[in-house]
Amino acid sequence: MWQSSPPGSIYDYIRVASFSIGPDGLIEQWSRRAAGLFGIAADEAVGLDPVEAFMPAELRVDGRRRVGEILDGKEWTGLVPFRMPGEDTVHGLAEIYVMPSGTETGERAAICIVVDVRALRRIETDLAASQAIFGQSPFAFVLFGTDLTVVRANQRFATVFGGQAADHRGRTVDDYLARPEADRLTATLERVLETGASVTDLQLIGTAPGDPVSRHWSMNLYRVHSGSGRPIGIAGLATDVTRRHIAAREAASARRNLALLNEASARIGNSLDLETTARELLDVAVPGFCDLASVDLYQGLLTGDDAPPGSWDSLRQESVGGSAELRRVALASAVSDALPAAAGTGARDTGSEPPVLGAVHRFPYNSPCAIALRTGHVEDVPGDDRGFVQSTLAVPMVAHDTVVGLVQFSRTKGSEPFGERDRALATELAARAAVCIDNARLYRREHERALILQRSLLPPGDPVAAGLDIACRYLPGNTATEVGGDWFDVIELPGHRTALVVGDVMGRGLRAAVAMGELRTAVRTLALLDLEPAEVLSALDEVARGLGTPGGTSSGGSGGTQWPSRAAHKSREVDLSEVYLATCVYAVYDPVTRRCTFANAGHLPPAVVEPGEPALMLDVPPGMPLGVGGEPFEEVEVELKEGSLLALYTDGLVESRDHPLEEGLAALRRALVEPERPLEDVCDRVLTTLDTRHGEDDIALLMARIQGLPADAVGDWRLPREPRSVGRARELARGQLLAWDLGELVDTTELLVSELVTNALRYGEGEIRLRLLRDRTLVCEVWDAGLVQPRRRRARDTDEGGRGLQLVGLLSVGWGSRRTPRGKTVWFELALPDGEPAAEPTVEQLLSMF
């Protein structure tokens, strides 16, 4: 078959058959189309009577009459049921057009054209369906030809793009879409026309005539064929999905906001540093929420003022000159490294440059940022004059009714502007960061107070002790850790002895510092009683247990506290949950004997380095920490060589997460080399060698070099228990003082020595021992075996005695008594002469003894 007509002809859908009838009324010619329609070949059909062969019996009479009329020259058109030869039932319905014709001899014949009515009905149905799709479909329907121009469009399409449906014939996609989208649709149409592959849900963005709002369409494309299978165009079905797109965008925005809030919960507030918290906020917001952002905090907040300037009362009192001073603490940009300074000027209407990172500034009084700070509400900041920033939200950072600062979120042009949902998210992000910053502020204030308290309780300057060269170091933990309860102390004891103390309260914060102060005060008080080291720790354990009970009472001992009510019992449980355990090592050094007595309450062992020997850890029984109770403490007495080095320390020096305790102790022993170097240098070497910058805990280090008192600085004599020993004691004291070139103290010393020896003879027991010690002061000690401690009292006017201890207290710098393993010691101390005449007692002082 060949044809010159274009594809899509009507003859592609219906097939017209023809045959001819001769003058005798029989079939004379039979076309191939007729053979296909009736199912009879030409050699079988030629010569048949068409009426007899194809018409039902009941129609044959009328059929012969019609054939006769046609052969007489009359045309006829009509519907004729037909059957197949040899069948009785009707096979189909044919529309026949019969026209008279003539033969070569002039006889009359007829030509018949036959069309199957069923094919016509299918065409009518298809046309009706096509009309329904184009005319009644609620969707925009368009048919593109092979040249990609619009062949047909329905009224819905015309409603969207204007005019009538017929007006769109011949248009191209460039008439409906902007260049990028038009090119994309054209390429898709060409691909569908070439490959025949359908395209579903092609997303297109454009605007309808007269509507500036962008619309979103979903388009399905498929290739259309003629009845012969030849491509004749592309059909497109477009659906407006703008609402669906908006809903999906809002859902995506909600999911993004929830994800941002979840990320904010995880990332903001991991540090107790204000600037770090501000940077954590911007790390979450940029670029997930905005393109540019900045954080300004009140300067008073950063400098540690007790009354933050962001409280509502102070905000209402701001002058018209502008907001209170703020400091820009954080900037972030997702656009360019050169652009963070463009974010958040807060004063674009003034033409001023935005503050740089770290700058202290004020917002103009009527600027949106200042208004946001005063009202506590989000304000919109106009875009900058350069046309770079599209919109900015100035969000006050409010925590517990206090404005701590301002965060500004900015989006550049080309980004989606902020909506109400974004304002709510910005407020939530700022509020979360504000709470963390306020918590950091409160922590820092408590941390600074605890640090001040802790440092105020440490010995001021460089401690001085007889027979010891002392150096000490204290390193607080970093700002990320709370203040600990580490402390050390150097306490002068009678007889030029020295108590060395290092302790560590388990816990952190202000309470730990307060507990440390109470324990340190208790240690000093107990040391003044001149108790043995084990006794000091036992008494200190009672004090530590008292810190964890209501009212500070100890939980041990008889007659315990009675709890009158359930509420009191609950209070006790709460208080007991705040028990502060502590470790402590207490050592007493005697410079005369160079012996040091240690007692340990759960603390790390002291380190000792003797000249020419490696460092070692003293084997001091650790005992239980203070506050546990129930276990006695043991003492260890060690004789230290001249020039030895003694180190007491807390666990922050040798323990961290990075290495076990044993490695830290080994590192400390390796660092304690060259003990003959200056003690300050040794301290610095220890802190430099060990990992002391981890900041996990406070570090206290107390080092002492053993020197001992020279033999010529000690006078020691034993006296028999007889009256003449009083005079002998005066003679010995006079001779020793003159040998020491302390003649100015002879008279006072003789008088006071006479009083103490006389009391030892009168109230004491056993042999009497007299000892004079010269160091920074002169100390006189009188020993005896009696256990009764002397007690100072006021003598009555009629008493002839009883004024000896009053005289000792009047003429000496200090006096006291202490127990010894074999009795007691009574002592007094005199200041060494400084060239000035000694002050004589006043008349009132002398009369006060009577």
Side-chain angles (χ1 to χ4, degrees):
M1 176 181 179
W2 59 274
Q3 67 180 40
S4 298
S5 61
S9 172
I10 189 64
Y11 297 106
D12 292 336
Y13 297 94
I14 60 172
R15 297 190 179 270
V16 180
S18 65
F19 64 91
S20 63
I21 300 175
D24 55 0
L26 301 179
I27 298 175
E28 190 176 61
Q29 292 180 339
W30 190 258
S31 67
R32 293 182 180 179
R33 290 283 183 92
L37 177 63
F38 293 102
I40 300 176
D43 57 351
E44 297 176 2
V46 173
L48 293 178
D49 183 355
V51 175
E52 187 70 25
F54 299 105
M55 297 185 67
E58 63 274 12
L59 298 178
R60 290 173 185 171
V61 175
D62 185 62
R64 290 189 181 94
R65 182 176 58 80
R66 297 287 185 187
V67 171
E69 293 176 354
I70 293 171
L71 293 176
D72 289 338
K74 186 177 181 180
E75 294 183 1
W76 180 81
T77 301
L79 297 176
V80 178
F82 66 90
R83 67 182 182 86
M84 295 300 178
E87 297 180 2
D88 295 333
T89 58
V90 175
H91 182 72
L93 184 66
E95 184 175 17
I96 299 178
Y97 175 45
V98 183
M99 63 190 74
S101 65
T103 64
E104 294 178 355
T105 60
E107 295 178 301
R108 292 185 178 181
I111 297 175
C112 301
I113 299 175
V114 184
V115 178
D116 190 350
V117 176
R118 292 175 299 176
L120 294 176
R121 296 292 180 266
R122 284 196 300 270
I123 294 175
E124 291 176 355
T125 302
D126 292 344
L127 289 175
S130 175
Q131 185 60 34
I133 292 174
F134 274 81
Q136 302 174 22
S137 173
F139 306 106
F141 200 97
V142 61
L143 179 63
F144 295 95
T146 55
D147 58 353
L148 304 186
T149 61
V150 176
V151 176
R152 186 177 180 185
N154 66 350
Q155 189 57 41
R156 176 60 182 169
F157 185 89
T159 301
V160 175
F161 291 100
Q164 298 298 318
D167 298 337
H168 295 275
R169 187 183 301 274
R171 293 184 180 180
T172 64
V173 294
D174 294 315
D175 297 320
Y176 305 105
L177 299 174
R179 173 61 62 184
E181 291 292 275
D183 292 343
R184 192 160 63 91
L185 178 56
T186 299
T188 305
L189 291 172
E190 291 175 347
R191 185 171 67 252
V192 172
L193 185 61
E194 178 182 356
T195 64
S198 301
V199 173
T200 59
D201 197 23
L202 175 65
Q203 297 293 318
L204 298 171
I205 302 176
T207 57
D211 186 2
V213 179
S214 295
R215 311 293 295 178
H216 295 259
W217 292 286
S218 172
M219 197 165 192
N220 299 328
L221 299 172
Y222 58 92
R223 191 169 68 183
V224 179
H225 304 85
S226 67
S228 61
R230 187 184 302 275
I232 60 173
I234 305 108
L237 182 66
T239 306
D240 191 336
V241 293
T242 303
R243 292 184 179 179
R244 186 176 71 186
H245 179 79
I246 294 174
R249 185 175 59 190
E250 290 181 351
S253 177
R255 289 193 297 271
R256 181 199 65 187
N257 293 352
L258 290 176
L260 277 175
L261 290 177
N262 183 60
E263 184 181 6
S265 300
R267 297 181 60 182
I268 300 177
N270 294 322
S271 169
L272 289 173
D273 180 74
L274 278 70
E275 291 83 352
T276 301
T277 303
R279 289 192 295 270
E280 291 171 346
L281 169 61
L282 299 194
D283 289 341
V284 172
V286 179
F289 177 67
C290 62
D291 301 317
L292 306 169
S294 65
V295 176
D296 299 286
L297 297 181
Y298 277 112
Q299 179 71 357
L301 183 77
L302 297 170
T303 56
D305 291 348
D306 289 338
S311 59
W312 297 120
D313 292 337
S314 62
L315 288 173
R316 295 189 185 99
Q317 296 172 2
E318 288 183 356
S319 65
V320 295
S323 66
E325 286 188 343
L326 298 104
R327 185 193 304 171
R328 181 142 295 181
V329 297
L331 281 171
S333 171
V335 181
S336 171
D337 294 338
L339 293 177
T345 65
R348 295 185 176 94
D349 53 340
T350 65
S352 61
E353 289 296 325
V356 297
L357 185 64
V360 178
H361 64 97
R362 295 176 183 267
F363 289 117
Y365 183 79
N366 291 323
S367 65
C369 292
I371 295 174
L373 289 171
R374 287 196 302 273
T375 62
H377 298 132
V378 181
E379 292 290 329
D380 293 316
V381 181
D384 58 4
D385 297 334
R386 292 171 292 181
F388 177 74
V389 174
Q390 176 179 241
S391 59
T392 298
L393 295 179
V395 187
M397 306 176 72
V398 183
H400 309 116
D401 292 336
T402 298
V403 179
V404 299
L406 185 80
V407 57
Q408 296 181 71
F409 303 107
S410 299
R411 288 181 179 174
T412 58
K413 291 190 175 179
S415 299
E416 185 178 356
F418 290 112
E420 286 302 319
R421 192 188 301 272
D422 295 322
R423 293 170 67 92
L425 177 61
T427 302
E428 180 65 22
L429 289 175
R432 294 195 179 196
V435 171
C436 295
I437 288 175
D438 194 53
N439 290 340
R441 174 185 68 86
L442 296 175
Y443 164 79
R444 186 175 66 178
R445 184 176 64 182
E446 180 177 344
H447 182 274
E448 292 175 350
R449 291 177 178 178
L451 191 59
I452 293 173
L453 174 62
Q454 186 181 42
R455 288 179 173 174
S456 68
L457 296 175
L458 296 176
D462 296 326
V464 179
L468 292 176
D469 182 13
I470 295 179
C472 53
R473 295 288 188 275
Y474 172 75
L475 298 179
N478 58 33
T479 56
T481 60
E482 297 185 59
V483 171
D486 293 14
W487 91 92
F488 66 90
D489 209 345
V490 178
I491 306 171
E492 294 186 62
L493 300 178
H496 287 312
R497 294 172 303 130
T498 302
L500 303 175
V501 189
V502 169
D504 184 4
V505 175
M506 298 181 187
R508 298 186 180 278
L510 188 59
R511 288 180 176 272
V514 171
M516 178 270 286
E518 294 182 354
L519 292 178
R520 178 179 179 272
T521 302
V523 169
R524 281 192 158 267
T525 302
L526 295 170
L528 294 178
L529 298 178
D530 211 353
L531 303 177
E532 296 297 324
E535 294 177 329
V536 171
L537 293 186
S538 296
L540 199 61
D541 178 65
E542 292 289 336
V543 174
R545 281 187 286 166
L547 295 178
T549 57
T553 59
S554 174
S555 59
S558 60
T561 305
Q562 300 296 321
W563 304 103
S565 65
R566 179 177 299 178
H569 180 69
K570 291 182 178 180
S571 175
R572 179 178 183 270
E573 290 178 350
V574 172
D575 289 335
L576 288 178
S577 67
E578 298 177 352
V579 170
Y580 285 96
L581 302 180
T583 63
C584 179
V585 60
Y586 185 88
V588 175
Y589 171 70
D590 188 343
V592 178
T593 62
R594 294 197 314 278
R595 300 187 71 85
C596 191
T597 305
F598 296 90
N600 192 352
H603 203 77
L604 295 174
V608 173
V609 186
E610 294 186 346
E613 300 292 336
L616 57 89
M617 298 296 173
L618 291 180
D619 186 13
V620 180
M624 299 298 291
L626 301 176
V628 175
E631 293 292 334
F633 298 98
E634 300 182 38
E635 293 181 358
V636 172
E637 188 175 62
V638 178
E639 182 175 352
L640 302 174
K641 294 182 179 180
E642 185 79 17
S644 297
L645 198 63
L646 174 65
L648 306 178
Y649 52 92
T650 56
D651 56 1
L653 181 67
V654 295
E655 187 176 21
S656 74
R657 299 190 187 98
D658 299 331
H659 56 75
L661 177 61
E662 291 73 14
E663 292 185 9
L665 293 175
L668 175 61
R669 290 195 298 270
R670 291 192 299 269
L672 291 173
V673 295
E674 302 180 13
E676 68 280 357
R677 295 179 60 184
L679 199 55
E680 295 290 339
D681 294 345
V682 177
C683 277
D684 293 337
R685 176 184 174 82
V686 169
L687 296 180
T688 303
T689 304
L690 274 67
D691 179 19
T692 59
R693 298 186 178 182
H694 49 73
E696 297 172 8
D697 197 1
D698 294 356
I699 295 174
L701 175 63
L702 177 61
M703 303 189 71
R705 175 172 286 118
I706 306 302
Q707 295 176 339
L709 286 181
D712 59 0
V714 179
D716 195 352
W717 306 276
R718 299 182 182 275
L719 303 173
R721 191 172 186 79
E722 55 187 29
R724 64 179 182 176
S725 293
V726 177
R728 177 61 179 163
R730 288 197 297 266
E731 293 175 2
L732 293 173
R734 173 183 288 273
Q736 187 64 67
L737 291 180
L738 293 176
W740 287 340
D741 196 19
L742 297 177
E744 298 180 24
L745 301 180
V746 169
D747 293 340
T748 303
T749 304
E750 281 188 325
L751 175 60
L752 301 185
V753 165
S754 176
E755 289 292 338
L756 296 187
V757 174
T758 300
N759 285 342
L761 289 174
R762 182 176 299 177
Y763 305 108
E765 300 177 5
E767 187 182 39
I768 300 173
R769 181 181 177 186
L770 173 65
R771 190 167 75 168
L772 294 179
L773 307 175
R774 186 198 65 185
D775 191 69
R776 291 175 291 109
T777 60
L778 176 67
V779 175
C780 176
E781 299 176 332
V782 176
W783 306 47
D784 70 81
L787 298 177
V788 178
Q789 297 289 326
R791 181 173 61 88
R792 182 176 178 180
R793 66 182 179 85
R794 182 178 296 278
R796 290 175 294 183
D797 295 343
T798 57
D799 291 343
E800 296 182 358
R803 298 179 179 85
L805 292 181
Q806 287 182 273
L807 186 63
V808 173
L810 178 64
L811 299 180
S812 66
V813 175
W815 77 278
S817 66
R818 69 177 185 274
R819 289 182 298 170
T820 64
R822 300 179 182 83
K824 68 175 182 297
T825 299
V826 183
W827 57 271
F828 67 84
E829 183 177 358
L830 297 176
L832 298 182
D834 54 2
E836 297 292 333
E840 296 292 338
T842 63
V843 175
E844 289 77 9
Q845 291 175 329
L846 293 175
L847 291 178
S848 65
M849 296 186 293
F850 295 90

